[in-house]
Structure formats: structure tokens, C-alpha cells
Amino acid sequence: MTVREQDRRLLLYGAALVLIVALTQVRGVWAAQLLLVPLLLIVPGCLLLRALRVPGHRVAAFPLYVPAASLVVLMVSGLAVTLLVPLVDGGVLDAVFGPAADPGAPLRPGPLLAGLMVTCLGLFLAGVRAPEETAVPWRSLPAAGWLALPLLLPLLAAAGALRLNHGYGPEVAIAAVAGCVLALVLGVLRAGRLGSGRSAMLLYAVSLAMMWSYALRGDLVYGFDIASEYAVAQETVTSGIWVTGPHPDAYGAMLSITVLPAGLHALTGLPVLLVLKVVYPAIFAMFPVGIFHLARRFLPDQWAFAAAAFVTAQGALSQQFPALARQEIAMLLFAALCGALLDARLRHFPKAALMCLFGPGIVVSHYTSAYFTAVMLGGALVLQAVLWVMRRPRIAPRAVAAALLPGLLAGVLWYVPITRSTANIGEFRTALSSEGLRLLPGAGTAGTLLSAYLRGTDVTRIPTYLYAKRVVPKYRPPKASVTPAADAGDPRWELGDAGVPVPPKVAPAVSASLDLGVLLIQQLANLLGLLGALVMAVRRHSSWLVRRIGVLAVPMLGVLVLLRLSGTLAAAYNQSRAQLQALTLLSIAMFWLLHRVSAAKFPARLRRTVYGLTGAAVVVTFTTGSGLDNVLLGGERATNLSTRGEDCERYCMYEAELAGARWLKEAARGSPDRLYADRYAQLRLFAELGPGRRIQTDITPLTLDRTAWVYASWANTAVGRARSLFDNQLALYAFPADFIEAHYDLVYTSGVTKVFHR
């Protein structure tokens, strides 16, 4: 690179920073917001990577470094602002940011923009003398048409979700999902000829389309955990303060749901709601792309695409992760950490620097992702010691230790003195000591140990009569002291059943065969992942890089087995979320084994057959996980393809319900009376009240206190169903409307949402 080219690149970065500053001045304009989001996710990361002397060809080979590094810069600069601005004299702030500046509320547009610019300028100066190899070869990206064409799928999915929100038919949503299936088929068939850039764009488009199809449902956020996350993020933006803790919710201080969304809101002008519903899924959609580029280090392009597509096909990616804002950020940083750890062409300093940034970034984003990462790295060190005893070639454990130690140190500092948020560890320790591991808790009702293992520790249904009987001691001394109505035990108030009607299957035999096939695919995938990881780890002729991915994947498998066997561990970390994190490396081990065996043992025609069957398995898994199979074969449709159904009753929040929650927030402020809402009605309260107010979720005549507040959602009043989780079993019963109306006053109604009190 000539000096002139070097100057041109520096000028380009400088112009990008000036453009960010200019656009933030008109951030109320949608066009400015549309430009600001990608600029904020690209420019800071590029400056950081250049300052760390990461070679440009390594960035081009693993583009996930860029958004991951940008997230780190945004969190660090925002954290610096919230810690340093209160130390600055108020007069200085008024002179710089105007009379509205408040040193007690630093998370505002002026200070956050200044903090980001100071950080970026520091990185810019640190990269001025960077060698020419740090230049990113942007020309290696696909043409603009290929960059834009696959993104039509997410827009189609967004349109389908918004139409469903307004009561229109599912035709557009179905077309979007069908388009995703066709895109995956195209990728499986043509990935070897499309090139890495085009294949990556297909994966990104499919992932984002599926996530938006869920995330954009409802008037507020969609999902369970994200209701509390939204309340925390909104409170951070409103107050302008990052509260370190302690919090009623152990996750309340996470930078991923406080400083980061506050920064994106302040800099782009986007409401917090759109940051969580639109921007976060757009960031996390890079996760399968990262797996694809990581897999390319071990596999040909077509097999690498199949490995990443298998991860995209998991229902958890599209259904659960858009409802887990903090884990979306943590998982992206986890993939970036794996990318740095397994980058054989990255020199020691930039590799160590990246791991020192991404590891602590996981810690401040999500607890259980950090714990899983620590188990993976710690288990890899132990397994490396075992391999050394077995006289296998050395694989340089220093890199694994360098990835583990910064995260451990950051975890100790973050969880104890900074946020004082060790409550989740204490709760897990208490549950473990009182309940033990609870191995295969459903074995008594599953029939056989094999069927119990296949079902795992998933939540099961408890009969209504059994729930009504067993839940009462939970509200009596010594656990609690609830005084029910005098006639609460009268037989006329007996709790009734309430099932969810499911449309009949058009072809029950075909549907059952498809479900069985997907189950077999998943179990075969687990077996192949185990075999692939073990072969990678112990095979004598494996390169050190292949051996490293094996020793990292084996501890992940151990955790997955424990989560499937133990109800206590599964309650601490959801199985499907843990499996998706593990698939970051397990998918590579699985497809590496298939590729190696077919290439070594089979003729060319048979190798193509093996790959074809593998691709078909991926497409079938995606078809069932996306809900398209029920559109074709009948049965209950998923939320992304219907305006009705159990998940829609649970997670889709609408303005009429939220208005009732806001009214209750003011009416019950300071009231000592207990607050009741069923398991999913409480999400509306979480979104408005935050996680601080204790909510009882068992609405039965014998568990309702006689002076309680009772919040009833649309599903309770219009549909007549209530839900509760008791002893890790789901109770689904008829909402006791007659009892409540006979014993409590109706103090608020929005038509379908009601609030009762006495």
C-alpha cells in the first residue's frame, strides 16, 4: 500500500466520524437513523481492530470481528461516560453541552456522543502508524446487488409480522418463511459456487427474517425475559443513570440492557423499543454468519454453509433469542471469542487483545453465557492435560488460558464489588443443596428412561385438580401468610380445566413421521457432534487447530448432557439456549466428521449423496422449526404465522393490556396489598413496573389474598385461560372470573384488560 493509499484510508475513517457527528444532530429523521445504525456498528470496530494491529485479511475472513469490536467500544465508552461525567463540574458541562446537561444523569446524547468520539479519536490516533496489512480489503465484499437482494427477505418478514399485528391474514408472513426455505435450499445446493460473501449474505438474510418475524409481533416487545429487559432499558434511558446494584433482578446492571441500548437510543434517536425489537436482532443475525466463516477454516464452503444453516434451522435462534436481548449481545461476543481463539493466522498480541476484550464483554452482557464460556475453557484446559498424559501432540494451552483468565477476573470484579449481583449463584446453590440434581424429573410419567431422556427436562402439564391442591401450601405459613376469602373452599369455586384448541392435522401420519424424523435428526446430530469432537481431540494426526476445537467442544457436550439429565441445572440455564451456544463449535465438529468420512471412504457420487442427505436434513429441520410444516399439514401455527394460538396469548402484548398495566402502576404505588397476575399476564406488568414489584402468579380462590390486586390480561378475560408454573410444570386452567367478580371490585377496565381490588 502506498503512502497515498494509507492517507486515503485514514481520511475515510475521519470522514466517517464526522458523518456520525453530523447525523446525530438530525437523529430524529428516519434516513439519518437508517445510516447511523450501521455506521455505529462498523466504524468504531474498524478503528479498534486497526489500533490492535489485526490484519485486514483476517478481518475479511471473519467479519464478525467488526460488529463485536464496535459493541465493545460502545459499551466501554458509555461506561466511561457514566463513571466520569458525574466527576466533572456542572459549569463545564453547561458550557459544553448546554444548560440541559445534568452531571447526575450522564447517559444523554451530548455526553455519550462526546465519549464515543473521544474513544474513537484515541483509537484513530493509535492506528495512524498501523502497518499496511491492517487495511481491510473491502473490495472482497459481494457486489451491491447481492448485498441488497437477500435483505428483501427480512423486509418481507417484517411486513408479514406487522400485518398480523393489525389483524390481517398470514399470507405475507408465510411467503417470507417460504422464501427463507428456498434461500437455504439455494445455499445448500450452490454454496460452493456462490462464494463466501454471497453465502454469508444468504445466511444473514434468513436469520434476520426469521427473528424479525417473531420480534416484531405485538405492540411491545415479544417474549418473556425481554419484558423485564425493556423495563430496565427504558428506566436507564429515562433516568440517564446506570445503577450498579443491587437489583431485585440479578441481571439489572448488565451493560447489554442498560448502557448499550441507552447509547444506541441517544446516538441514533431510535426509541428503546425499536432498539430491542429491530436493532438487536439485526446484530445477532451475524451469529450464524460467524459460524460459517469459522467453519470455513476447517471445511469447504458448501459444508461450512450446511454447518451454519443447521444452526440457523434451530427454532431457538428465531423464537427465543429475539426475546433475550442481553444474550443476543453475549452470544455474538462468544462467537467472536471463538473466532479469535481459533485463528491460526493471528499473531499473539492482537489475538490476546481481542480475547481480553471479548471475554469480559460476555461477562458484562449475560451471566449464564459467561458461566458456559468459563466451563468450556476450563474443561478444555483439563482435557488438554489428559491428552498430554496420553502423549498426544501439544496444543499450546496458553491461548485457552489467555481466553479464560480475563473473563474470570472480570467476572469476579463485576459480580461482587461492582454490581453485587451474585443472587443467581446463591439461588442455584440453594436449589442444588435442597433439591439435588433432580435427575430426569419426568421419568415417572415418561414411560421409559429413554423416552424421559429424549423429552429431557422440558416443562410438562400438571392436571388442574392436582395443581389446585398442591399450590395451596405455598401460600400458607411458614412460606407465606395469605388470608383467602371465607368461602374460598366452597365447591362452586372449584378450579376448572381450560385446554387450548388445536386445529386438526390434515395428514396426521405424515406429520407424525416428520416429527419423528426431526427428533432422529437432532439425536443423530448430538451423536455426530460427540464423535466429531472426540475424533478431533484425540486423533494422532490432527493439527493443533483441529485438536483445539475438539477439546473446546467436548466440555460443551458434557454440559448439554447434564442439562438434559438434571432438572436443577436446566432451571438455571435453558437447554435450547445452551445447545445453540454449544453449536457454535459442535456444528463444525459434526460436519467436519461427515466431510472427512465421506471424503476418505466414499467415491465421488456417494459423497454427493451424503452431502445431499445432510442438506435435506438441514432444510427439513428448518421447515419444522419455522412453523411452515403446520401451515402445510395442519395443527397449531406458530406466532409468526398466526394471530391466534397459545404462544400469541402468552407473548403478544397490545396497547389495551399495557394501558391497564400503566394504570395499575400508579394505583398500586406504595400499596402493601399483594399483586396477582398469571404467569404471562405478569409480562405486561414487568414491562411497565419493572422487575422490582413481587407478583404472585397463582390465581386460584384459595391462594388469592382477600385484599389483593388482581390484573387480568386479554387471555384471562376474553379467552378465559390462566397459566402458572408450579414445580417446573405448567398449569393451564380456567380463569376464576366468577369468584373474582363476586369477591373483588372492578377498579379499571380497558374493555378486555381488567384490574380488581378490594
Side-chain angles (χ1 to χ4, degrees), residues 698-723:
D698 301 295
I699 303 180
T700 76
L702 289 172
T703 58
L704 284 170
D705 191 83
R706 62 176 60 188
T707 61
W709 294 89
V710 182
Y711 172 84
S713 68
W714 170 82
N716 301 145
T717 60
V719 183
R721 280 191 283 271
R723 297 170 174 87

Side-chain angles (χ1 to χ4, degrees), residues 455-505:
R455 191 184 67 185
T457 54
D458 292 339
V459 174
T460 56
R461 285 280 303 276
I462 181 174
T464 300
Y465 77 92
L466 206 56
Y467 162 72
K469 177 181 179 181
R470 292 181 177 177
V471 76
V472 174
K474 177 181 173 182
Y475 292 83
R476 300 292 183 268
K479 293 184 177 181
S481 182
V482 168
T483 304
D487 64 340
D490 193 295
R492 61 180 169 154
W493 308 126
E494 182 178 348
L495 212 59
D497 293 315
V500 179
V502 178
K505 295 283 188 180

Side-chain angles (χ1 to χ4, degrees), residues 125-411:
L125 294 175
V128 166
R129 296 186 178 276
E132 63 180 47
E133 67 173 7
T134 60
V136 179
W138 297 109
R139 293 180 181 177
S140 62
L141 291 173
W146 256 99
L147 288 174
L149 183 60
L151 294 183
L152 293 177
L153 277 178
L155 294 178
L156 188 64
L162 295 177
R163 282 175 56 84
L164 289 173
N165 289 344
H166 290 86
Y168 294 103
E171 294 80 12
V172 176
I174 293 173
V177 174
C180 291
V181 173
L182 293 177
L184 278 188
V185 171
L186 173 64
V188 168
L189 294 177
R190 307 287 293 180
R193 298 182 180 180
L194 287 175
S196 61
R198 296 172 181 177
S199 299
M201 284 306 302
L202 282 179
L203 286 168
Y204 181 80
V206 171
S207 302
L208 182 56
M210 290 306 303
M211 284 191 281
W212 273 358
S213 72
Y214 284 94
L216 295 178
R217 293 289 279 114
D219 293 337
L220 203 69
V221 290
Y222 173 88
F224 198 97
D225 294 52
I226 201 170
S228 298
E229 293 171 338
Y230 169 76
V232 171
Q234 188 64 50
E235 175 60 28
T236 303
V237 167
T238 303
S239 65
I241 301 171
W242 172 60
V243 180
T244 59
H247 291 268
D249 173 14
Y251 293 93
M254 290 278 126
L255 298 186
S256 54
I257 57 172
T258 54
V259 171
L260 181 59
L264 290 172
H265 161 76
L267 296 171
T268 65
L270 287 171
V272 172
L273 180 61
L274 292 184
V275 170
L276 298 183
K277 285 173 74 77
V278 177
V279 178
Y280 270 41
I283 295 172
F284 183 62
M286 283 292 295
F287 177 71
V289 177
I291 294 176
F292 169 69
H293 285 107
L294 189 59
R296 289 185 69 237
R297 300 174 186 174
F298 306 88
L299 296 165
D301 278 2
Q302 59 180 4
W303 284 95
F305 184 92
F310 184 74
V311 176
T312 306
Q314 304 304 306
L317 184 134
S318 57
Q319 297 175 29
Q320 296 189 28
F321 274 82
L324 297 160
R326 55 186 181 252
Q327 196 166 5
E328 287 180 287
I329 303 302
M331 287 282 282
L332 194 80
L333 294 174
F334 175 76
L337 176 70
C338 292
L341 181 59
L342 295 168
D343 199 334
R345 299 183 181 181
L346 201 56
R347 293 192 304 272
H348 294 305
F349 171 75
K351 175 181 288 192
L354 288 177
M355 292 190 296
C356 286
L357 292 173
F358 296 147
I362 299 170
V363 169
V364 302
S365 297
H366 187 238
Y367 287 121
T368 43
S369 295
Y371 300 152
F372 194 95
T373 304
V375 170
M376 177 192 76
L377 295 172
L381 288 175
V382 172
L383 188 55
Q384 284 182 346
V386 173
L387 292 175
W388 178 78
V389 173
M390 295 172 59
R391 299 182 182 276
R392 290 296 187 269
R394 292 189 61 193
I395 48 178
R398 289 175 298 177
V400 179
L404 174 63
L405 293 178
L408 285 180
L409 178 60

Side-chain angles (χ1 to χ4, degrees), residues 31-161:
Q33 296 170 345
L34 197 62
L35 289 173
L36 274 169
V37 171
L39 282 172
L40 290 173
L41 294 175
I42 294 174
V43 177
C46 288
L47 291 173
L48 176 59
L49 295 171
R50 183 179 178 86
L52 295 177
R53 306 303 193 261
V54 178
H57 66 90
R58 301 316 306 149
V59 178
F62 194 71
L64 189 63
Y65 284 146
V66 175
S70 293
L71 292 173
V72 171
V73 173
L74 289 169
M75 287 193 285
V76 169
S77 64
L79 185 60
V81 166
T82 195
L83 295 177
L84 297 178
V85 166
L87 304 179
V88 180
D89 182 77
V92 175
L93 288 177
D94 290 343
V96 177
F97 303 114
D102 180 3
L107 295 178
R108 303 298 185 200
L112 284 169
L113 178 60
L116 178 62
M117 287 301 106
V118 169
T119 304
C120 288
L121 285 174
L123 296 173
F124 178 86
L125 294 175
V128 166
R129 296 186 178 276
E132 63 180 47
E133 67 173 7
T134 60
V136 179
W138 297 109
R139 293 180 181 177
S140 62
L141 291 173
W146 256 99
L147 288 174
L149 183 60
L151 294 183
L152 293 177
L153 277 178
L155 294 178
L156 188 64

Side-chain angles (χ1 to χ4, degrees), residues 224-225 435 438 457-463 466-468 470-472 474-475 495 567 570-572 574 577 646 650-651 677-683 686 694-700 703 722-733:
F224 198 97
D225 294 52
E435 302 176 7
R438 288 197 299 138
T457 54
D458 292 339
V459 174
T460 56
R461 285 280 303 276
I462 181 174
L466 206 56
Y467 162 72
R470 292 181 177 177
V471 76
V472 174
K474 177 181 173 182
Y475 292 83
L495 212 59
N574 180 280
R577 302 173 196 171
E646 189 169 6
R650 294 173 174 181
Y651 301 125
D678 81 353
R679 176 166 174 78
Y680 295 102
Q682 69 173 337
L683 301 185
F686 283 162
R694 182 175 178 81
I695 301 173
Q696 310 293 339
T697 59
D698 301 295
I699 303 180
T700 76
T703 58
R723 297 170 174 87
S724 181
L725 189 66
F726 177 74
D727 195 23
N728 203 40
Q729 291 182 293
L730 179 65
L732 182 60
Y733 55 95

